[in-house]
Amino acid sequence: GESVGLHLPTLSVQEGDNSIINCAYSNSASDYFIWYKQESGKGPQFIIDIRSNMDKRQGQRVTVLLNKTVKHLSLQIAATQPGDSAVYFCAEGAGGTSYGKLTFGQGTILTVHP
Amino acid sequence: EAGVAQSPRYKIIEKRQSVAFWCNPISGHATLYWYQQILGQGPKLLIQFQNNGVVDDSQLPKDRFSAERLKGVDSTLKIQPAKLEDSAVYLCASSRGTLDQPQHFGDGTRLSIL
């Protein structure tokens, strides 16, 4: 079932470490996945996306891995910086008439210590 | 490129009052979304527009919420009458309207119901 309230998963790392944020998705028909970063008082900011025909995609300091067998998505951040501290959301989307519709996960709080 | 603009940034009203939020999407983005984000949760889609037509409003509480996108550009979301459980951040997003074009979010309107 859904988790509600303020009990978000948390991840604390030291500056310079690599961070891995995990996400389990629910819909096996989803064919588009996206990671967003949300800082306090701001809207979600696009980080990276991946289609279901790929299992890995790299951006600047970030890598997204997709395992469709177990419906798992991860975001790797290299050399994590204090400015990376935020809540990270994964979202899944499916094609069809509602293309572009995203279903968001619960979110993970990342705290980077100097 | 200018981002998604939303106003007001904050709104405090009493229950049973009405409130309206405004969104101006990124220029050229055909698809516009309204999300509700309750504290500690991921955004939840309320309604999706393609140009000035509604694509998906399955999760919009239509007895109290309404939205329009006249002329296919700006959009307004209205709540009448407001309930305590409507306290949330209301986010607007826009995209070019295809599956793998990411949605870009505004910073939202934080609504508090007294």
Side-chain angles (χ1 to χ4, degrees):
Chain A
E2 281 189 21
S3 297
V4 297
L6 298 174
H7 304 291
L8 293 178
T10 60
L11 175 65
S12 292
V13 301
Q14 291 295 125
E15 181 178 2
D17 288 351
N18 296 331
S19 302
I20 300 176
I21 301 171
N22 296 303
C23 175
Y25 65 92
S26 57
N27 187 354
S28 56
S30 293
D31 52 11
Y32 173 64
F33 305 88
I34 188 166
W35 281 98
Y36 283 94
K37 171 187 179 184
Q38 188 172 28
E39 297 175 280
S40 180
K42 300 277 191 181
Q45 176 187 358
F46 170 78
I47 301 173
I48 191 168
D49 57 4
I50 188 168
R51 297 293 304 270
S52 60
N53 59 355
M54 304 171 67
D55 53 20
K56 180 179 180 179
R57 191 173 187 201
Q58 288 184 293
Q60 186 177 13
R61 281 202 307 119
V62 295
T63 301
V64 56
L65 299 178
L66 175 62
N67 185 330
K68 295 181 287 295
T69 303
V70 295
K71 292 191 286 188
H72 183 268
L73 194 66
S74 68
L75 176 71
Q76 300 178 2
I77 305 174
T80 316
Q81 303 166 1
D84 295 327
S85 295
V87 180
Y88 288 79
F89 291 98
C90 66
E92 56 185 301
T97 57
S98 290
Y99 62 80
K101 175 180 178 178
L102 295 178
T103 300
F104 280 77
Q106 182 185 33
T108 297
I109 300 172
L110 174 66
T111 303
V112 182
H113 300 283
Chain B
E1 168 177 84
V4 176
Q6 290 189 247
S7 67
R9 289 283 284 127
Y10 305 93
K11 191 73 177 178
I12 301 173
I13 62 172
E14 296 185 347
K15 60 183 179 183
R16 291 187 290 273
Q17 288 187 323
S18 62
V19 64
F21 314 123
W22 174 82
C23 173
N24 179 241
I26 293 172
S27 178
H29 281 193
T31 309
L32 185 147
Y33 313 79
W34 283 102
Y35 288 84
Q36 180 192 59
Q37 186 175 25
I38 292 173
L39 184 65
Q41 299 182 21
K44 184 186 83 170
L45 180 68
L46 293 175
I47 188 167
Q48 176 185 345
F49 291 93
Q50 179 73 10
N51 296 310
N52 61 350
V54 175
V55 174
D56 187 339
D57 63 356
S58 58
Q59 298 190 87
L60 187 73
K62 299 180 188 61
D63 58 334
R64 297 183 301 104
F65 286 65
S66 64
E68 60 182 10
R69 192 184 183 196
L70 300 176
K71 302 181 181 178
V73 182
D74 292 4
S75 177
T76 56
L77 176 70
K78 296 179 181 178
I79 307 174
Q80 182 179 10
K83 292 186 175 181
L84 292 175
E85 61 259 36
D86 298 333
S87 293
V89 176
Y90 291 85
L91 295 162
C92 179
S94 70
S95 77
R96 295 193 181 278
T98 56
L99 179 62
D100 55 356
Q101 290 296 314
Q103 296 177 26
H104 297 274
F105 285 81
D107 287 336
T109 297
R110 182 174 297 276
L111 175 65
S112 297
I113 312 294
L114 303 179

